[in-house]
Amino acid sequence: MAKFSHIRGPIWLDNVHCMGTESSLDQCTSNGWGVSDCSHSEDIGVVCHPQRQRGYLSERVSNALGPQGRRLEEVRLKPILASAKRHSLVTEGAVEVKYEGHWRQVCDQDWTRNNSKVVCGMLGFPSEAPVNSLYYRKVWNLKMKDPKSRLKSLTQKNSFWIHRVNCLGTEPHMANCQVQVAPARGKLQPACPGGMHAVVSCVAGPRFRPAKAKPGHKESGAEELKVRLRSGAQVGEGRVEVLVNHQWGTVCDHGWNLISASVVCRQLGFGSAREALFGAQLGQGLGPIHLSEVRCRGYEQTLSDCPSLEGSQNGCQHENDAAVRCSVPDMGFQNQVRLAGGRSPEEGVVEVQVEVNGVRRWGAVCSDHWGLTEAMVACRQLGLGFANHAIKDTWYWQGTPGAADVVMSGVRCSGPELALQQCQKHGPVHCSHGSGRFAAGVSCTDSAPDLVMNAQLVQETAYLEDRPLSQLYCAHEENCLSRSADHMDWPYGHRRLLRFSSQIYNLGRADFRPKTGRHSWIWHQCHRHYHSIEVFTHYDLLTLNGSKVAEGHKASFCLEDTNCPTGLQKRYACANFGEQGVTVGCWDTYRHDIDCQWVDITDVGPGNYIFQVVVNPQNEVAESDFSNNMMRCRCKYDGHRVWLHSCHTGDSYRANAELSLEQEQRLRNNLI
């Protein structure tokens, strides 16, 4: 019905049907231009949102495929060699395609390496390898001659075959290729005369190879990769970041598509892209936007080989950051872990399947040393995203009967593992408190916050203050001064403080909330406020080799939305014992003139140092990306004045440019 008044003239389109990925209406199906039985009383209209909604669009493989794609559903490799059948990850075998709900084999006539590349990409492998065709032909001929084999009778049926496939090698899915299911109509001919099934051999990416495997060619080290994914809930997904001039930055989604996304995925050791995401769907980045209008053809080895513009040339903002979801190999890890007893499928006691005395059995995980890092690996292995909580006391959850015994203990994960079985753990199981109520548990979520410090503001606001002891009683009570303050003649004297403002953004996809509820917050009488997180940030002054010379900390006595962008409502405020947190897209500001917003450098001599701030230092609250929680500046102190320069978040530059947070903690604690 015409809501916006009637108009005169022709009615150009009728029965318009769009998939959603078209760039204009003329690409949609319709009766044809000018073919209509409508009147102007049926004219349609639209109301557009004035701004493009964040995370509204993406290009998915499933959306990009026509009717043929909906019939060609899946691809798999059927192992033929006995050695291939023994491996959990199948990288070589006969190609089988699920067509209209039934599996068919593909005829090898006119089969090319480009076809193999597309198949491997769909299965999560970055590249293909040559196949010993003569050997597989011998195996095929032997089966055809075997009177007990049903293969000969099956191959005579056209319903057994996909007749012909012709790919360019750049397609993200076989359905994008030219696929002929059966011979041309009207010709009574077999679908694969004299042929055999197509055999493909794929090369797994470095993360998916067995530990003992040694590739024949030299792999580029992690420090040489110039692209990475950040803030993804699953393996092989995340915001795309590239390294340009030794600094990491994002990619603008203008012109972003599945072809360019597949180049990124293969460069990182995954298969082709399942989805190219627009509008910062996997969180906004910080720093420069390096690339825009990326136009890959699909043959490129790296994203830097593709034509592109500088991100600053067309007004891109971080709300336009591009992301990808890549195809990854099925390692079978998801079948080796499960949750039991929870109130929802996303929580419960962690139960794993391990081999005990040659027999595979299910059991619990000891909660000794169980933390958020281990819980993150468990949730990723389950396909449930991020860990919300790592739970050590699970007496209120009943596990699976017969799986209560602890079969895994001493679990220590570093973070990137694909499964708990890949983490460090005890050989013989040893759990200090046995099984039962102290088995490890998790609560998983598909979205998480991501806190990032505004490095520029720290650099611009730093200054020195000599503060009298008479004004530092409360700060002393909250351990915000160096230990030497305990031996001073209070209230006479002063402390030299390096003061600064901090602004902490939540760039993730969920609100940042304290780990505990209001009933567990601690009241501090001196400052007369509650601490929802006792140590929210660490402030440290380090020597150039990483040794700590001064330290401070800040409790989250007021974790709130200090400011939000226009159009976004503040949700958290500390006044009147209100709820604390930081809303997605908002930031919490700690001004330089409040107590404990400093590092006490009274005992520090002149010199060059590293000034470091770590947000959420004990990883008490889950985040989608912990690598950007650390901010560092170069600091020069001459005994009277202080200068901070080159401030940046911890993952802004090359991985080998500075010590990682874990390495630095080990150095300071003399751990080997």
PDB file of all heavy atoms in Angstrom, residues 486-497:
ATOM      1  N   ASP A 486      56.718   3.802  55.030  1.00  0.00           N
ATOM      2  CA  ASP A 486      56.417   3.274  56.371  1.00  0.00           C
ATOM      3  C   ASP A 486      57.405   3.789  57.414  1.00  0.00           C
ATOM      4  O   ASP A 486      57.082   3.841  58.607  1.00  0.00           O
ATOM      5  CB  ASP A 486      56.460   1.742  56.351  1.00  0.00           C
ATOM      6  CG  ASP A 486      55.427   1.145  55.412  1.00  0.00           C
ATOM      7  OD1 ASP A 486      54.472   1.863  55.059  1.00  0.00           O
ATOM      8  OD2 ASP A 486      55.576  -0.040  55.035  1.00  0.00           O
ATOM      9  N   HIS A 487      58.600   4.168  56.991  1.00  0.00           N
ATOM     10  CA  HIS A 487      59.662   4.529  57.935  1.00  0.00           C
ATOM     11  C   HIS A 487      59.870   6.041  58.027  1.00  0.00           C
ATOM     12  O   HIS A 487      60.847   6.487  58.635  1.00  0.00           O
ATOM     13  CB  HIS A 487      60.976   3.860  57.499  1.00  0.00           C
ATOM     14  CG  HIS A 487      60.836   2.380  57.268  1.00  0.00           C
ATOM     15  ND1 HIS A 487      60.551   1.494  58.277  1.00  0.00           N
ATOM     16  CD2 HIS A 487      60.923   1.652  56.120  1.00  0.00           C
ATOM     17  CE1 HIS A 487      60.482   0.268  57.770  1.00  0.00           C
ATOM     18  NE2 HIS A 487      60.700   0.341  56.460  1.00  0.00           N
ATOM     19  N   MET A 488      58.964   6.797  57.457  1.00  0.00           N
ATOM     20  CA  MET A 488      59.103   8.257  57.512  1.00  0.00           C
ATOM     21  C   MET A 488      58.476   8.807  58.794  1.00  0.00           C
ATOM     22  O   MET A 488      57.701   8.129  59.482  1.00  0.00           O
ATOM     23  CB  MET A 488      58.451   8.901  56.273  1.00  0.00           C
ATOM     24  CG  MET A 488      59.156   8.534  54.962  1.00  0.00           C
ATOM     25  SD  MET A 488      58.586   9.506  53.558  1.00  0.00           S
ATOM     26  CE  MET A 488      59.241  11.125  53.970  1.00  0.00           C
ATOM     27  N   ASP A 489      58.834  10.028  59.104  1.00  0.00           N
ATOM     28  CA  ASP A 489      58.349  10.701  60.312  1.00  0.00           C
ATOM     29  C   ASP A 489      57.048  11.432  59.985  1.00  0.00           C
ATOM     30  O   ASP A 489      57.033  12.631  59.706  1.00  0.00           O
ATOM     31  CB  ASP A 489      59.414  11.687  60.818  1.00  0.00           C
ATOM     32  CG  ASP A 489      58.993  12.322  62.147  1.00  0.00           C
ATOM     33  OD1 ASP A 489      58.070  11.786  62.795  1.00  0.00           O
ATOM     34  OD2 ASP A 489      59.594  13.349  62.504  1.00  0.00           O
ATOM     35  N   TRP A 490      55.958  10.672  59.980  1.00  0.00           N
ATOM     36  CA  TRP A 490      54.654  11.251  59.633  1.00  0.00           C
ATOM     37  C   TRP A 490      54.234  12.268  60.685  1.00  0.00           C
ATOM     38  O   TRP A 490      54.484  12.068  61.870  1.00  0.00           O
ATOM     39  CB  TRP A 490      53.594  10.134  59.550  1.00  0.00           C
ATOM     40  CG  TRP A 490      53.774   9.223  58.369  1.00  0.00           C
ATOM     41  CD1 TRP A 490      54.704   8.243  58.227  1.00  0.00           C
ATOM     42  CD2 TRP A 490      52.994   9.216  57.176  1.00  0.00           C
ATOM     43  NE1 TRP A 490      54.574   7.621  57.025  1.00  0.00           N
ATOM     44  CE2 TRP A 490      53.516   8.188  56.357  1.00  0.00           C
ATOM     45  CE3 TRP A 490      51.913   9.968  56.733  1.00  0.00           C
ATOM     46  CZ2 TRP A 490      52.984   7.901  55.104  1.00  0.00           C
ATOM     47  CZ3 TRP A 490      51.380   9.676  55.498  1.00  0.00           C
ATOM     48  CH2 TRP A 490      51.920   8.653  54.689  1.00  0.00           C
ATOM     49  N   PRO A 491      53.608  13.371  60.304  1.00  0.00           N
ATOM     50  CA  PRO A 491      53.204  13.815  58.962  1.00  0.00           C
ATOM     51  C   PRO A 491      54.211  14.737  58.305  1.00  0.00           C
ATOM     52  O   PRO A 491      53.841  15.518  57.432  1.00  0.00           O
ATOM     53  CB  PRO A 491      51.914  14.575  59.251  1.00  0.00           C
ATOM     54  CG  PRO A 491      52.192  15.231  60.573  1.00  0.00           C
ATOM     55  CD  PRO A 491      53.056  14.262  61.340  1.00  0.00           C
ATOM     56  N   TYR A 492      55.483  14.640  58.707  1.00  0.00           N
ATOM     57  CA  TYR A 492      56.483  15.577  58.168  1.00  0.00           C
ATOM     58  C   TYR A 492      57.170  14.953  56.946  1.00  0.00           C
ATOM     59  O   TYR A 492      57.504  13.770  56.943  1.00  0.00           O
ATOM     60  CB  TYR A 492      57.518  15.924  59.242  1.00  0.00           C
ATOM     61  CG  TYR A 492      56.857  16.431  60.509  1.00  0.00           C
ATOM     62  CD1 TYR A 492      56.792  15.624  61.644  1.00  0.00           C
ATOM     63  CD2 TYR A 492      56.279  17.701  60.548  1.00  0.00           C
ATOM     64  CE1 TYR A 492      56.178  16.064  62.796  1.00  0.00           C
ATOM     65  CE2 TYR A 492      55.662  18.153  61.701  1.00  0.00           C
ATOM     66  CZ  TYR A 492      55.600  17.328  62.827  1.00  0.00           C
ATOM     67  OH  TYR A 492      54.980  17.769  63.955  1.00  0.00           O
ATOM     68  N   GLY A 493      57.399  15.766  55.964  1.00  0.00           N
ATOM     69  CA  GLY A 493      58.035  15.292  54.742  1.00  0.00           C
ATOM     70  C   GLY A 493      57.031  15.191  53.599  1.00  0.00           C
ATOM     71  O   GLY A 493      55.867  15.591  53.719  1.00  0.00           O
ATOM     72  N   HIS A 494      57.530  14.653  52.499  1.00  0.00           N
ATOM     73  CA  HIS A 494      56.661  14.544  51.320  1.00  0.00           C
ATOM     74  C   HIS A 494      57.090  13.321  50.509  1.00  0.00           C
ATOM     75  O   HIS A 494      58.146  12.735  50.737  1.00  0.00           O
ATOM     76  CB  HIS A 494      56.763  15.808  50.455  1.00  0.00           C
ATOM     77  CG  HIS A 494      58.107  15.997  49.827  1.00  0.00           C
ATOM     78  ND1 HIS A 494      59.134  16.649  50.466  1.00  0.00           N
ATOM     79  CD2 HIS A 494      58.616  15.604  48.614  1.00  0.00           C
ATOM     80  CE1 HIS A 494      60.202  16.659  49.700  1.00  0.00           C
ATOM     81  NE2 HIS A 494      59.917  16.031  48.566  1.00  0.00           N
ATOM     82  N   ARG A 495      56.248  12.964  49.542  1.00  0.00           N
ATOM     83  CA  ARG A 495      56.567  11.896  48.580  1.00  0.00           C
ATOM     84  C   ARG A 495      56.502  12.481  47.173  1.00  0.00           C
ATOM     85  O   ARG A 495      55.643  13.317  46.865  1.00  0.00           O
ATOM     86  CB  ARG A 495      55.564  10.738  48.679  1.00  0.00           C
ATOM     87  CG  ARG A 495      55.425  10.135  50.060  1.00  0.00           C
ATOM     88  CD  ARG A 495      56.698   9.461  50.529  1.00  0.00           C
ATOM     89  NE  ARG A 495      57.059   8.298  49.729  1.00  0.00           N
ATOM     90  CZ  ARG A 495      58.118   7.530  49.977  1.00  0.00           C
ATOM     91  NH1 ARG A 495      58.931   7.830  51.013  1.00  0.00           N
ATOM     92  NH2 ARG A 495      58.384   6.494  49.218  1.00  0.00           N
ATOM     93  N   ARG A 496      57.432  12.032  46.328  1.00  0.00           N
ATOM     94  CA  ARG A 496      57.429  12.486  44.934  1.00  0.00           C
ATOM     95  C   ARG A 496      56.589  11.506  44.109  1.00  0.00           C
ATOM     96  O   ARG A 496      56.877  10.297  44.064  1.00  0.00           O
ATOM     97  CB  ARG A 496      58.843  12.576  44.388  1.00  0.00           C
ATOM     98  CG  ARG A 496      58.890  12.928  42.898  1.00  0.00           C
ATOM     99  CD  ARG A 496      60.203  13.570  42.509  1.00  0.00           C
ATOM    100  NE  ARG A 496      60.316  14.910  43.103  1.00  0.00           N
ATOM    101  CZ  ARG A 496      61.342  15.725  42.896  1.00  0.00           C
ATOM    102  NH1 ARG A 496      62.355  15.338  42.119  1.00  0.00           N
ATOM    103  NH2 ARG A 496      61.388  16.907  43.459  1.00  0.00           N
ATOM    104  N   LEU A 497      55.567  12.024  43.448  1.00  0.00           N
ATOM    105  CA  LEU A 497      54.596  11.195  42.740  1.00  0.00           C
ATOM    106  C   LEU A 497      54.607  11.517  41.249  1.00  0.00           C
ATOM    107  O   LEU A 497      54.593  12.685  40.854  1.00  0.00           O
ATOM    108  CB  LEU A 497      53.189  11.438  43.291  1.00  0.00           C
ATOM    109  CG  LEU A 497      53.030  11.328  44.820  1.00  0.00           C
ATOM    110  CD1 LEU A 497      51.609  11.679  45.220  1.00  0.00           C
ATOM    111  CD2 LEU A 497      53.406   9.928  45.290  1.00  0.00           C
TER     112      LEU A 497
END
